[in-house]
Amino acid sequence: GGVLEAPPPVLSRAYQELSRGIVNLQNARKIADFPFPFPLVQACSVAMCLHWGLVPLVCSMALGMFVAFLVSFLLVLFLWSHYFVALQLECPFGTEANDLPMEQMQTDWNCSLSQLTRVASKEPPKFEFDESFHPKLALVMSDGSPCTSRQFLSSPTLSAAAA
């Protein structure tokens, strides 16, 4: 009837992916439900305003006019930039340009789950070792770099699998 027939490894993987999805959803809820503490936000805002007012004064007393202007401008710009980036990151769920693409993530998740309902996902792919073809293939590591040694093929497990 309404039961999805799948081999145990595929079904196990499906449950694993569902579990990871639930964990990630809970982590996202934690971010959304617990905002940055209000007193700390106010303390940071006051400190930033003090910095904005005091840095030009201190720089003008300690440095030449042009250097004082340049140093104070860059320091204030740097800290306020970080402040506004932090404000953007505080609430990542929304429709602004810097928010997480939640619709795309949900679409990808639905597509991954729908793959499990296909007939092809019920059986692993077939592989037959061809002694004349497969040893000639170039070996590549998982990071894309070429494998310079065939030392791992001398292990008994892989040699038995290749035979």
Side-chain angles (χ1 to χ4, degrees):
V3 176
L4 178 66
E5 295 180 18
V10 172
L11 192 58
S12 172
R13 178 65 181 211
Y15 282 122
Q16 179 185 9
E17 290 297 319
L18 284 170
S19 172
R20 285 180 53 206
I22 294 294
V23 169
N24 289 334
L25 176 65
Q26 293 301 323
N27 288 338
R29 282 185 179 158
K30 282 187 237 177
I31 292 171
D33 291 344
F34 299 106
F36 206 64
F38 181 74
L40 193 52
V41 170
Q42 296 307 306
C44 286
S45 298
V46 169
M48 293 295 291
C49 289
L50 286 173
H51 180 267
W52 171 74
L54 293 176
V55 165
L57 291 175
V58 173
C59 285
S60 67
M61 289 187 274
L63 303 169
M65 185 171 63
F66 179 73
V67 176
F69 168 76
L70 187 64
V71 168
S72 63
F73 176 77
L74 291 177
L75 284 175
V76 170
L77 176 72
F78 176 76
L79 285 177
W80 279 97
S81 297
H82 276 75
Y83 179 75
F84 287 117
V85 167
L87 286 178
Q88 284 288 315
L89 293 176
E90 186 178 7
C91 186
F93 309 109
T95 57
E96 295 177 0
N98 292 328
D99 291 336
L100 292 174
M102 297 306 291
E103 289 182 27
Q104 178 65 37
M105 292 168 80
Q106 183 66 47
T107 302
D108 291 344
W109 172 251
N110 292 342
C111 182
S112 295
L113 287 178
S114 70
Q115 294 295 322
L116 294 175
T117 62
R118 294 184 178 208
V119 176
S121 67
K122 293 183 180 182
E123 293 183 23
K126 305 280 190 260
F127 176 77
E128 294 180 18
F129 184 76
D130 183 1
E131 289 187 36
S132 64
F133 175 71
H134 287 107
K136 297 176 186 175
L137 294 175
L139 297 176
V140 179
M141 303 304 287
S142 61
D143 64 354
S145 63
C147 181
T148 58
S149 170
R150 293 186 179 251
Q151 178 181 5
F152 68 93
L153 286 177
S154 63
S155 72
T157 307
L158 292 174
S159 297

